[in-house]
mmCIF file of all heavy atoms in Angstrom:
data_model
loop_
_atom_site.group_PDB
_atom_site.id
_atom_site.type_symbol
_atom_site.label_atom_id
_atom_site.label_comp_id
_atom_site.label_asym_id
_atom_site.label_seq_id
_atom_site.Cartn_x
_atom_site.Cartn_y
_atom_site.Cartn_z
ATOM 1 N N ALA A 1 0.832 -1.212 0.000
ATOM 2 C CA ALA A 1 0.000 0.000 0.000
ATOM 3 C C ALA A 1 0.864 1.258 0.000
ATOM 4 O O ALA A 1 0.589 2.222 -0.731
ATOM 5 C CB ALA A 1 -0.930 -0.004 1.216
ATOM 6 N N LEU A 2 1.916 1.262 0.801
ATOM 7 C CA LEU A 2 2.816 2.415 0.851
ATOM 8 C C LEU A 2 3.547 2.603 -0.477
ATOM 9 O O LEU A 2 3.750 3.729 -0.936
ATOM 10 C CB LEU A 2 3.828 2.252 1.990
ATOM 11 C CG LEU A 2 3.246 2.298 3.411
ATOM 12 C CD1 LEU A 2 4.333 1.963 4.431
ATOM 13 C CD2 LEU A 2 2.635 3.657 3.723
ATOM 14 N N ALA A 3 3.924 1.486 -1.102
ATOM 15 C CA ALA A 3 4.601 1.555 -2.406
ATOM 16 C C ALA A 3 3.671 2.150 -3.458
ATOM 17 O O ALA A 3 4.079 3.010 -4.255
ATOM 18 C CB ALA A 3 5.058 0.160 -2.830
ATOM 19 N N LEU A 4 2.397 1.714 -3.453
ATOM 20 C CA LEU A 4 1.434 2.229 -4.428
ATOM 21 C C LEU A 4 1.117 3.696 -4.152
ATOM 22 O O LEU A 4 0.993 4.503 -5.086
ATOM 23 C CB LEU A 4 0.153 1.394 -4.410
ATOM 24 C CG LEU A 4 -0.925 1.813 -5.408
ATOM 25 C CD1 LEU A 4 -0.400 1.750 -6.843
ATOM 26 C CD2 LEU A 4 -2.171 0.947 -5.271
ATOM 27 N N GLN A 5 0.992 4.056 -2.878
ATOM 28 C CA GLN A 5 0.748 5.462 -2.530
ATOM 29 C C GLN A 5 1.859 6.350 -3.087
ATOM 30 O O GLN A 5 1.598 7.379 -3.713
ATOM 31 C CB GLN A 5 0.674 5.622 -1.014
ATOM 32 C CG GLN A 5 0.473 7.075 -0.586
ATOM 33 C CD GLN A 5 0.479 7.254 0.926
ATOM 34 O OE1 GLN A 5 1.285 6.643 1.626
ATOM 35 N NE2 GLN A 5 -0.427 8.072 1.423
ATOM 36 N N SER A 6 3.086 5.937 -2.869
ATOM 37 C CA SER A 6 4.232 6.713 -3.348
ATOM 38 C C SER A 6 4.221 6.825 -4.870
ATOM 39 O O SER A 6 4.467 7.896 -5.430
ATOM 40 C CB SER A 6 5.522 6.050 -2.870
ATOM 41 O OG SER A 6 6.642 6.788 -3.277
ATOM 42 N N ALA A 7 3.899 5.714 -5.552
ATOM 43 C CA ALA A 7 3.870 5.705 -7.019
ATOM 44 C C ALA A 7 2.782 6.637 -7.552
ATOM 45 O O ALA A 7 3.009 7.407 -8.490
ATOM 46 C CB ALA A 7 3.644 4.282 -7.532
ATOM 47 N N LEU A 8 1.596 6.595 -6.956
ATOM 48 C CA LEU A 8 0.490 7.438 -7.410
ATOM 49 C C LEU A 8 0.804 8.919 -7.213
ATOM 50 O O LEU A 8 0.477 9.751 -8.062
ATOM 51 C CB LEU A 8 -0.802 7.078 -6.664
ATOM 52 C CG LEU A 8 -1.490 5.777 -7.093
ATOM 53 C CD1 LEU A 8 -2.545 5.370 -6.078
ATOM 54 C CD2 LEU A 8 -2.117 5.924 -8.477
ATOM 55 N N GLU A 9 1.444 9.245 -6.104
ATOM 56 C CA GLU A 9 1.736 10.650 -5.827
ATOM 57 C C GLU A 9 2.934 11.153 -6.627
ATOM 58 O O GLU A 9 2.948 12.303 -7.075
ATOM 59 C CB GLU A 9 1.938 10.845 -4.324
ATOM 60 C CG GLU A 9 0.635 10.592 -3.550
ATOM 61 C CD GLU A 9 0.703 10.948 -2.077
ATOM 62 O OE1 GLU A 9 1.820 11.067 -1.547
ATOM 63 O OE2 GLU A 9 -0.366 11.091 -1.458
ATOM 64 N N ASN A 10 3.925 10.287 -6.852
ATOM 65 C CA ASN A 10 5.143 10.724 -7.549
ATOM 66 C C ASN A 10 5.055 10.606 -9.070
ATOM 67 O O ASN A 10 5.573 11.453 -9.789
ATOM 68 C CB ASN A 10 6.352 9.926 -7.045
ATOM 69 C CG ASN A 10 6.656 10.206 -5.579
ATOM 70 O OD1 ASN A 10 6.333 11.269 -5.069
ATOM 71 N ND2 ASN A 10 7.254 9.247 -4.895
ATOM 72 N N HIS A 11 4.401 9.532 -9.565
ATOM 73 C CA HIS A 11 4.328 9.325 -11.012
ATOM 74 C C HIS A 11 3.202 10.108 -11.676
ATOM 75 O O HIS A 11 3.368 10.630 -12.778
ATOM 76 C CB HIS A 11 4.152 7.834 -11.345
ATOM 77 C CG HIS A 11 5.350 6.995 -11.058
ATOM 78 N ND1 HIS A 11 6.614 7.310 -11.509
ATOM 79 C CD2 HIS A 11 5.483 5.826 -10.373
ATOM 80 C CE1 HIS A 11 7.473 6.382 -11.107
ATOM 81 N NE2 HIS A 11 6.810 5.480 -10.408
ATOM 82 N N VAL A 12 2.030 10.167 -11.003
ATOM 83 C CA VAL A 12 0.867 10.767 -11.667
ATOM 84 C C VAL A 12 0.214 11.892 -10.853
ATOM 85 O O VAL A 12 -0.849 12.390 -11.202
ATOM 86 C CB VAL A 12 -0.184 9.691 -12.047
ATOM 87 C CG1 VAL A 12 0.358 8.792 -13.146
ATOM 88 C CG2 VAL A 12 -0.607 8.858 -10.843
ATOM 89 N N ASN A 13 0.834 12.237 -9.727
ATOM 90 C CA ASN A 13 0.421 13.407 -8.949
ATOM 91 C C ASN A 13 -1.039 13.349 -8.483
ATOM 92 O O ASN A 13 -1.789 14.316 -8.606
ATOM 93 C CB ASN A 13 0.673 14.691 -9.763
ATOM 94 C CG ASN A 13 0.672 15.937 -8.892
ATOM 95 O OD1 ASN A 13 1.062 15.877 -7.725
ATOM 96 N ND2 ASN A 13 0.220 17.051 -9.446
ATOM 97 N N ILE A 14 -1.441 12.185 -7.945
ATOM 98 C CA ILE A 14 -2.806 12.026 -7.427
ATOM 99 C C ILE A 14 -2.746 11.924 -5.906
ATOM 100 O O ILE A 14 -2.001 11.097 -5.375
ATOM 101 C CB ILE A 14 -3.487 10.761 -8.009
ATOM 102 C CG1 ILE A 14 -3.657 10.890 -9.523
ATOM 103 C CG2 ILE A 14 -4.843 10.536 -7.354
ATOM 104 C CD1 ILE A 14 -4.201 9.637 -10.183
ATOM 105 N N PRO A 15 -3.523 12.747 -5.180
ATOM 106 C CA PRO A 15 -3.525 12.668 -3.711
ATOM 107 C C PRO A 15 -4.072 11.324 -3.230
ATOM 108 O O PRO A 15 -5.103 10.849 -3.726
ATOM 109 C CB PRO A 15 -4.440 13.826 -3.287
ATOM 110 C CG PRO A 15 -5.296 14.102 -4.480
ATOM 111 C CD PRO A 15 -4.470 13.757 -5.683
ATOM 112 N N THR A 16 -3.382 10.723 -2.289
ATOM 113 C CA THR A 16 -3.694 9.353 -1.863
ATOM 114 C C THR A 16 -3.601 9.231 -0.343
ATOM 115 O O THR A 16 -2.769 9.885 0.277
ATOM 116 C CB THR A 16 -2.691 8.372 -2.509
ATOM 117 O OG1 THR A 16 -2.635 8.622 -3.909
ATOM 118 C CG2 THR A 16 -3.105 6.933 -2.301
ATOM 119 N N ARG A 17 -4.455 8.403 0.230
ATOM 120 C CA ARG A 17 -4.380 8.116 1.663
ATOM 121 C C ARG A 17 -4.373 6.603 1.879
ATOM 122 O O ARG A 17 -5.141 5.882 1.237
ATOM 123 C CB ARG A 17 -5.581 8.714 2.408
ATOM 124 C CG ARG A 17 -5.672 10.234 2.357
ATOM 125 C CD ARG A 17 -4.583 10.906 3.176
ATOM 126 N NE ARG A 17 -4.747 12.354 3.222
ATOM 127 C CZ ARG A 17 -4.257 13.206 2.330
ATOM 128 N NH1 ARG A 17 -3.584 12.739 1.285
ATOM 129 N NH2 ARG A 17 -4.441 14.506 2.456
ATOM 130 N N VAL A 18 -3.516 6.151 2.780
ATOM 131 C CA VAL A 18 -3.508 4.741 3.181
ATOM 132 C C VAL A 18 -4.222 4.630 4.517
ATOM 133 O O VAL A 18 -3.875 5.328 5.474
ATOM 134 C CB VAL A 18 -2.071 4.186 3.303
ATOM 135 C CG1 VAL A 18 -2.098 2.749 3.855
ATOM 136 C CG2 VAL A 18 -1.365 4.205 1.953
ATOM 137 N N LEU A 19 -5.233 3.763 4.571
ATOM 138 C CA LEU A 19 -5.960 3.485 5.812
ATOM 139 C C LEU A 19 -5.733 2.019 6.177
ATOM 140 O O LEU A 19 -6.041 1.129 5.381
ATOM 141 C CB LEU A 19 -7.459 3.761 5.647
ATOM 142 C CG LEU A 19 -7.943 5.194 5.905
ATOM 143 C CD1 LEU A 19 -7.312 6.180 4.937
ATOM 144 C CD2 LEU A 19 -9.452 5.275 5.831
ATOM 145 N N SER A 20 -5.189 1.796 7.352
ATOM 146 C CA SER A 20 -4.836 0.428 7.739
ATOM 147 C C SER A 20 -5.784 -0.121 8.801
ATOM 148 O O SER A 20 -6.127 0.579 9.763
ATOM 149 C CB SER A 20 -3.400 0.395 8.271
ATOM 150 O OG SER A 20 -3.101 -0.889 8.777
ATOM 151 N N ALA A 21 -6.183 -1.376 8.625
ATOM 152 C CA ALA A 21 -7.037 -2.050 9.610
ATOM 153 C C ALA A 21 -6.236 -2.413 10.855
ATOM 154 O O ALA A 21 -6.802 -2.649 11.920
ATOM 155 C CB ALA A 21 -7.653 -3.309 8.998
ATOM 156 N N ILE A 22 -4.911 -2.479 10.700
ATOM 157 C CA ILE A 22 -4.024 -2.663 11.847
ATOM 158 C C ILE A 22 -3.397 -1.303 12.131
ATOM 159 O O ILE A 22 -2.760 -0.718 11.258
ATOM 160 C CB ILE A 22 -2.927 -3.703 11.545
ATOM 161 C CG1 ILE A 22 -3.562 -5.061 11.280
ATOM 162 C CG2 ILE A 22 -1.938 -3.797 12.699
ATOM 163 C CD1 ILE A 22 -2.582 -6.100 10.827
ATOM 164 N N GLU A 23 -3.569 -0.815 13.334
ATOM 165 C CA GLU A 23 -3.140 0.554 13.612
ATOM 166 C C GLU A 23 -1.617 0.689 13.617
ATOM 167 O O GLU A 23 -0.912 -0.052 14.300
ATOM 168 C CB GLU A 23 -3.710 0.996 14.967
ATOM 169 C CG GLU A 23 -4.042 2.468 15.001
ATOM 170 C CD GLU A 23 -4.870 2.867 16.207
ATOM 171 O OE1 GLU A 23 -6.049 2.474 16.267
ATOM 172 O OE2 GLU A 23 -4.316 3.559 17.057
ATOM 173 N N MET A 24 -1.117 1.623 12.822
ATOM 174 C CA MET A 24 0.298 1.992 12.816
ATOM 175 C C MET A 24 0.382 3.453 12.402
ATOM 176 O O MET A 24 0.578 3.784 11.233
ATOM 177 C CB MET A 24 1.121 1.065 11.921
ATOM 178 C CG MET A 24 0.484 0.636 10.625
ATOM 179 S SD MET A 24 1.520 -0.545 9.741
ATOM 180 C CE MET A 24 1.067 -2.080 10.537
ATOM 181 N N ARG A 25 0.148 4.314 13.347
ATOM 182 C CA ARG A 25 -0.114 5.731 13.095
ATOM 183 C C ARG A 25 1.025 6.481 12.402
ATOM 184 O O ARG A 25 0.803 7.487 11.760
ATOM 185 C CB ARG A 25 -0.464 6.437 14.407
ATOM 186 C CG ARG A 25 -1.833 6.033 14.941
ATOM 187 C CD ARG A 25 -2.138 6.721 16.255
ATOM 188 N NE ARG A 25 -3.455 6.316 16.745
ATOM 189 C CZ ARG A 25 -4.586 6.944 16.450
ATOM 190 N NH1 ARG A 25 -4.569 7.979 15.641
ATOM 191 N NH2 ARG A 25 -5.740 6.528 16.942
ATOM 192 N N GLN A 26 2.252 5.993 12.554
ATOM 193 C CA GLN A 26 3.377 6.717 11.942
ATOM 194 C C GLN A 26 3.348 6.653 10.419
ATOM 195 O O GLN A 26 3.896 7.516 9.742
ATOM 196 C CB GLN A 26 4.715 6.162 12.443
ATOM 197 C CG GLN A 26 5.061 6.560 13.877
ATOM 198 C CD GLN A 26 4.471 5.607 14.903
ATOM 199 O OE1 GLN A 26 3.575 4.825 14.599
ATOM 200 N NE2 GLN A 26 4.971 5.681 16.122
ATOM 201 N N ILE A 27 2.705 5.614 9.864
ATOM 202 C CA ILE A 27 2.766 5.432 8.412
ATOM 203 C C ILE A 27 1.405 5.389 7.716
ATOM 204 O O ILE A 27 1.332 5.532 6.499
ATOM 205 C CB ILE A 27 3.570 4.160 8.030
ATOM 206 C CG1 ILE A 27 2.973 2.912 8.706
ATOM 207 C CG2 ILE A 27 5.034 4.307 8.391
ATOM 208 C CD1 ILE A 27 3.606 1.610 8.252
ATOM 209 N N ALA A 28 0.339 5.197 8.474
ATOM 210 C CA ALA A 28 -0.991 5.107 7.851
ATOM 211 C C ALA A 28 -2.061 5.562 8.834
ATOM 212 O O ALA A 28 -1.886 5.441 10.049
ATOM 213 C CB ALA A 28 -1.269 3.672 7.407
ATOM 214 N N GLU A 29 -3.163 6.052 8.297
ATOM 215 C CA GLU A 29 -4.297 6.404 9.150
ATOM 216 C C GLU A 29 -5.017 5.126 9.577
ATOM 217 O O GLU A 29 -5.049 4.153 8.821
ATOM 218 C CB GLU A 29 -5.275 7.289 8.373
ATOM 219 C CG GLU A 29 -4.714 8.631 7.969
ATOM 220 C CD GLU A 29 -5.708 9.454 7.164
ATOM 221 O OE1 GLU A 29 -6.925 9.217 7.293
ATOM 222 O OE2 GLU A 29 -5.269 10.327 6.396
ATOM 223 N N PRO A 30 -5.597 5.113 10.770
ATOM 224 C CA PRO A 30 -6.404 3.942 11.143
ATOM 225 C C PRO A 30 -7.659 3.886 10.279
ATOM 226 O O PRO A 30 -8.171 4.938 9.872
ATOM 227 C CB PRO A 30 -6.749 4.205 12.611
ATOM 228 C CG PRO A 30 -6.640 5.684 12.768
ATOM 229 C CD PRO A 30 -5.576 6.136 11.820
#
């Protein structure tokens, strides 16, 4: 998910959010 987020924002400039079912606040929203 983090790899795809980075690709979408860097390659095609689309705002993206990662929401994780397992909480890890430093890298994704719950």
